[in-house]
């Protein structure tokens, strides 16, 4: 609901969140119709490097996947990369 109100340019979130985990959040975002929200870039920042989890995230059209620990520079590069695809110059 908050994403619909705020309409962010990018969402950075973990997979393991409460009350809604990241996978469910991503599924909900991608299913929103007519709001322009479904194409909002989502980058996961998580400690979960499980191959099946990464594949599921890709199947759900996550835009980026960073595994902790990660440097601030790596986060910055991933966000820059995702935004450059969404908002090319």
């Amino acid at each position: 609901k908050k994403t619909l109100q705020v309409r962010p340019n990018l969402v950075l979130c973990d997979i393991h969140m409460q009350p809604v985990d990241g996978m469910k959040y991503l599924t909900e975002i991608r299913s929103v119709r007519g709001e322009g929200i479904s194409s909002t870039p989502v980058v996961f920042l998580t400690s979960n490097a499980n191959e099946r989890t990464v594949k599921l995230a890709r199947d759900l059209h996550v835009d980026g996947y960073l595994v902790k620990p990660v440097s601030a520079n790596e986060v910055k590069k991933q966000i820059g990369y995702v935004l450059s695809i969404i908002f090319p110059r």
Side-chain angles (χ1 to χ4, degrees):
K1 292 179 182 182
K2 197 67 164 173
T3 304
L4 291 171
Q5 295 170 348
V6 175
R7 302 172 93 50
N9 289 325
L10 181 135
V11 173
L12 183 65
C13 67
D14 199 340
I15 291 175
H16 305 289
M17 304 184 301
Q18 294 295 324
V20 176
D21 68 55
M23 294 295 187
K24 183 170 177 155
Y25 172 79
L26 181 59
T27 300
E28 289 176 1
I29 289 298
R30 296 296 182 245
S31 69
V32 173
R33 300 287 179 235
E35 298 285 334
I37 296 296
S38 65
S39 61
T40 300
V42 175
V43 175
F44 283 148
L45 177 59
T46 183
S47 60
N48 191 330
N50 179 285
E51 189 175 322
R52 288 171 47 184
T53 304
V54 175
K55 182 182 179 337
L56 176 58
R58 287 187 181 143
D59 290 347
L60 294 173
H61 307 287
V62 73
D63 296 282
Y65 197 104
L66 295 167
V67 178
K68 298 175 197 175
V70 62
S71 71
N73 191 46
E74 289 174 288
V75 173
K76 182 179 175 182
K77 283 174 58 176
Q78 181 71 63
I79 290 171
Y81 172 74
V82 169
L83 290 178
S84 73
I85 291 171
I86 305 302
F87 304 108
R89 293 181 178 195

